[in-house]
Amino acid sequence: MHIIFGFMPIIIVVALVIIAVFIGLKVGRSKKTRGNKSLYLLVGYGFLLVLSTILYYLLPVAAEDPTQKIDVTQIPNLSMEAYEGKLANVDEKYITQKWTFPFEGNQLNIEEYWGNGDVIDVYYGTRKNTNEIEVLLYETPLIIGESFDASEIRIAPKVSLEDDRLLIQHPDAGNIQLSQFKNEFPFRQFLKGSKGDLFYSADLDWDSDYYGDRVIYIRVPARVQLESNVDEQ
Amino acid sequence: MSFATPKLIDIVKKQFLFKWKGYRPFFTNLVILQAIAIIFSLGGIGSSSHGREGVNVSESIYSADFVLAFTMLWAFIVAILLTSKAYREADFVFITNRFTAQLANVAFLFTISVIGAITAILSRNLLWMITYFSSDNITFVKEAALHPSEYVMGGIATILYVFLFSAVGYLLGSIVQMNKMFAFILPVVFIALLILFGMQEQYLLLWLHEFYYQEDSFIWWFVKTGFTATAFFIASFYLLNRQEVSK
């Protein structure tokens, strides 16, 4: 019985075809099949289609561009670099935010507060001959569909210094709703790879997404002792 | 009585123009069907969402696949209707024979296939415009532009798929004209075959999908589709020619 249910969509289509044919035959016999109204309707519809096509190309919309494909293999693994103590070697272009606070004390309490999103890993380092605390946010890009850089949807953490307390408020998760328009199946047929599938699977696209990485790097004067409300890294 | 022998091409051309003017309501059906398909497509053909590294990404995929499917169904139904007695009798207002009438039918079906395919392809932009202007806080991402040759192949493929469905409809309509009982037998046999093949895990539709859609060589696909459509029309010619004159 379940097999019959599996074919229900096809059975419904066959039933619709039969109904449509009977209606068509009725219309054919009614001798009212001539007239320009249908042609005007088609022309009006065609005009609407052409107008929407023009708008499609005129309105500013992000577009995937294979020639701008971002090579994610060249992007550093921030967590690994931080774990190995090599964050200082990472290209400065990945520092997206920087906070500096003058600090004269010898002890700093770091307090982290969590938001609704993932917690950004915090790493510590020291600086010599300075009375400044430096907090760096390293981020590697969030790339959707191999070339669409959606990094700006990520929310930055809030960092502030109150007396001897460095407060880090981890951000809520950034949200993005994407609408992607795909080519129709006769166009996909002659494309290589997964895009040639008849039944499009949205999941296929996730394979090419690159989520990047985020790390907070706190550098304090060498004399300063650190205390934290979470495990030190 | 006229002794002038009209040329075949002239007769076909006259009949084609007659059908073009007389059967315009088919285009009303096309516009309505495509409008319905566009409404169905507003929900997208796929969606997915997941989050990582502090971001939640939800994605809706849109395409005019439904519109194309409805257009193929429309061509299929129009072809069936053209083989019906009501529409065939209209051919006899001209000097004609079954062969010229059928040639005119094929020309008409090809023309409406072109119109149906072009409107279906362009309907994607209308779908895009509707979602664009009715959505807030949604980032639209266009798929990478195709190479011109891919546009040409895709366009031809769309037209031929619609034309192929009209050929199938024309053949089934011709079979039904042999005996009206086939109008009930054919759908039942079709569904029964689907279920039967489904039980034996030899899916008929899967085979058709592999034969036509998995063919990624455009030339071979063109040969397969063109040959199938031609064979179906020739078979239809044969079946309809066996009918009595103005039955």
Side-chain angles (χ1 to χ4, degrees):
Chain A
M1 197 66 185
H2 67 280
I3 289 176
I4 293 173
F5 281 117
F7 288 105
M8 276 310 280
I10 293 167
I11 293 169
I12 290 168
V13 168
V14 171
L16 284 176
V17 168
I18 293 169
I19 292 167
V21 168
F22 276 109
I23 292 171
L25 287 173
K26 288 264 184 197
V27 172
R29 287 188 186 118
S30 72
K31 306 292 181 191
K32 291 178 182 172
T33 54
R34 294 177 191 213
N36 289 326
K37 283 183 184 172
S38 296
L39 192 63
Y40 295 150
L41 180 68
L42 182 67
V43 170
Y45 179 57
F47 176 76
L48 190 64
L49 294 178
V50 171
L51 179 71
S52 56
T53 304
I54 293 168
L55 282 175
Y56 179 79
Y57 287 104
L58 286 185
L59 287 172
V61 172
E64 289 180 3
D65 185 354
T67 61
Q68 300 296 316
K69 185 177 171 182
I70 297 166
D71 184 4
V72 294
T73 60
Q74 301 300 315
I75 296 174
N77 182 334
L78 293 178
S79 296
M80 184 63 74
E81 298 288 342
Y83 184 76
E84 293 177 356
K86 296 177 183 171
L87 264 183
N89 299 337
V90 172
D91 193 327
E92 287 189 357
K93 72 178 181 182
Y94 295 110
I95 299 173
T96 56
Q97 292 242 27
K98 184 177 179 180
W99 297 264
T100 52
F101 307 100
F103 188 70
E104 300 291 341
N106 291 323
Q107 180 158 338
L108 180 68
N109 295 308
I110 296 171
E111 296 178 15
E112 293 183 48
Y113 298 96
W114 288 268
N116 230 351
D118 286 355
V119 175
I120 305 172
D121 288 340
V122 178
Y123 292 86
Y124 308 113
T126 55
R127 302 171 77 197
K128 288 177 183 171
N129 306 322
T130 181
N131 283 326
E132 262 187 354
I133 295 169
E134 185 181 68
V135 182
L136 303 171
L137 175 66
Y138 284 84
E139 291 182 311
T140 46
L142 164 63
I143 300 157
I144 295 171
E146 296 184 339
S147 61
F148 176 60
D149 191 337
S151 302
E152 63 182 35
I153 66 162
R154 290 190 293 208
I155 302 167
K158 289 177 182 161
V159 180
S160 59
L161 182 71
E162 291 181 9
D163 301 327
D164 62 347
R165 294 159 62 220
L166 184 69
L167 307 176
I168 298 172
Q169 174 68 53
H170 289 279
D172 289 340
N175 293 298
I176 186 167
Q177 274 186 290
L178 292 174
S179 284
Q180 288 207 34
F181 279 73
K182 298 291 178 186
N183 292 307
E184 290 65 49
F185 63 85
F187 289 87
R188 295 200 296 270
Q189 177 170 358
F190 304 106
L191 299 176
K192 300 293 176 197
S194 58
K195 287 182 177 176
D197 289 344
L198 176 59
F199 302 106
Y200 190 82
S201 168
D203 290 335
L204 291 171
D205 264 15
W206 298 117
D207 294 341
S208 57
D209 291 349
Y210 179 78
Y211 275 81
D213 204 357
R214 306 174 93 188
V215 162
I216 293 173
Y217 186 36
I218 302 172
R219 299 173 75 196
V220 298
R223 66 173 190 279
V224 174
Q225 293 288 313
L226 293 176
E227 289 288 333
S228 173
N229 66 342
V230 293
D231 294 336
E232 192 173 332
Q233 296 188 70
Chain B
M1 188 175 172
S2 171
F3 291 98
T5 309
K7 285 182 185 171
L8 176 81
I9 189 78
D10 291 334
I11 299 171
V12 173
K13 192 177 165 186
K14 271 188 183 175
Q15 285 192 321
F16 169 78
L17 289 174
F18 168 75
K19 289 172 199 292
W20 173 251
K21 287 178 182 170
Y23 299 157
R24 281 174 185 169
F26 286 141
F27 295 122
T28 305
N29 301 342
L30 173 69
V31 174
I32 292 170
L33 269 178
Q34 290 198 350
I36 293 169
I38 287 171
I39 291 168
F40 282 160
S41 304
L42 287 174
I45 59 165
S47 63
S48 187
S49 64
H50 65 169
R52 222 169 67 193
E53 301 297 335
V55 287
N56 296 321
V57 182
S58 56
E59 186 180 27
S60 297
I61 309 292
Y62 295 91
S63 169
D65 282 350
F66 276 142
V67 185
L68 251 175
F70 274 50
T71 304
M72 292 193 292
L73 194 62
W74 167 77
F76 177 78
I77 292 166
V78 169
I80 291 176
L81 289 173
L82 287 185
T83 61
S84 68
K85 191 181 173 187
Y87 285 86
R88 276 185 296 133
E89 281 182 345
D91 291 332
F92 290 99
V93 296
F94 293 99
I95 300 166
T96 185
N97 57 36
R98 295 206 180 283
F99 182 65
T100 56
Q102 292 192 56
L103 281 181
N105 277 344
V106 174
F108 180 72
L109 286 173
F110 183 74
T111 306
I112 67 162
S113 297
V114 173
I115 293 170
I118 290 172
T119 51
I121 292 166
L122 293 180
S123 71
R124 178 160 78 108
N125 302 325
L126 181 59
L127 178 65
W128 177 85
M129 200 169 76
I130 294 169
T131 51
Y132 184 85
F133 287 110
S134 62
S135 312
D136 289 329
N137 300 321
I138 291 181
T139 305
F140 285 81
V141 183
K142 287 181 190 174
E143 199 169 34
L146 297 176
H147 188 271
S149 65
E150 291 170 334
Y151 271 119
V152 172
M153 284 191 292
I156 293 171
T158 308
I159 292 168
L160 264 182
Y161 270 127
V162 178
F163 189 56
L164 179 64
F165 268 75
S166 75
V168 176
Y170 203 74
L171 177 62
L172 294 181
S174 306
I175 293 170
V176 170
Q177 291 313 309
M178 288 171 60
N179 192 321
K180 293 287 186 284
M181 282 299 289
F182 281 116
F184 301 98
I185 294 170
L186 286 176
V188 171
V189 168
F190 176 67
I191 292 167
L193 278 176
L194 282 179
I195 295 170
L196 193 67
F197 279 114
M199 282 175 166
Q200 294 173 357
E201 297 183 353
Q202 295 169 347
Y203 298 104
L204 180 63
L205 294 180
L206 197 65
W207 181 83
L208 290 172
H209 171 253
E210 280 177 11
F211 185 73
Y212 290 106
Y213 196 74
Q214 291 297 312
E215 178 59 69
D216 53 8
S217 159
F218 180 74
I219 301 294
W220 270 115
W221 174 87
F222 189 88
V223 169
K224 283 179 182 179
T225 313
F227 179 79
T228 310
T230 307
F232 283 3
F233 278 120
I234 289 171
S236 306
F237 280 26
Y238 175 74
L239 291 174
L240 287 175
N241 276 334
R242 287 160 52 102
Q243 300 277 308
E244 293 170 35
V245 176
S246 195
K247 189 174 162 183

